Amino acid sequence: MIANLLELIRYHDGQIASRSLTKRLALDNPVTLYAIPAGESISHESSSLTKLIQVLEGSLRVEIAGETYCLNDSALMSIPANQRHHLYALKDTKLLQIEVP
């Protein structure tokens, strides 16, 4: 069990912080916590697994297949497997990413 996800990761100026929770939760699929400072981005990535992105705090712009979405606190979005996408933090943002088959 994890009591408070927000306390497990901190922001770092000019860089994205990530922390894997896969082993801690005894799971097979990747579970990763991110802290993305405002203005930072994760560009043009994809995964062979479907991604579930939950914004824990902040505001995140997600671009997928020519569409743009804005996710705020508590928003949840799925990104299909093998779909290239771009994440951009509009303000300091912490998010949980779970990859599922």
Side-chain angles (χ1 to χ4, degrees), residues 36-101:
I36 307 174
E40 294 296 325
S41 65
I42 299 173
S43 298
H44 306 293
E45 71 169 12
S46 65
S47 173
S48 61
L49 300 172
T50 296
K51 290 184 178 181
L52 299 175
I53 305 287
Q54 178 160 17
V55 174
L56 303 172
E57 72 177 18
S59 184
L60 185 71
R61 185 175 69 219
V62 180
E63 296 173 8
I64 305 170
E67 297 289 326
T68 300
Y69 306 91
C70 186
L71 307 178
N72 295 305
D73 295 354
S74 302
L76 177 67
M77 172 179 227
S78 66
I79 299 173
N82 303 310
Q83 180 66 59
R84 291 180 60 86
H85 55 279
H86 176 86
L87 308 177
Y88 178 83
L90 298 170
K91 55 184 177 179
D92 288 353
T93 302
K94 290 184 181 179
L95 64 94
L96 181 66
Q97 175 181 284
I98 302 169
E99 296 184 55
V100 296

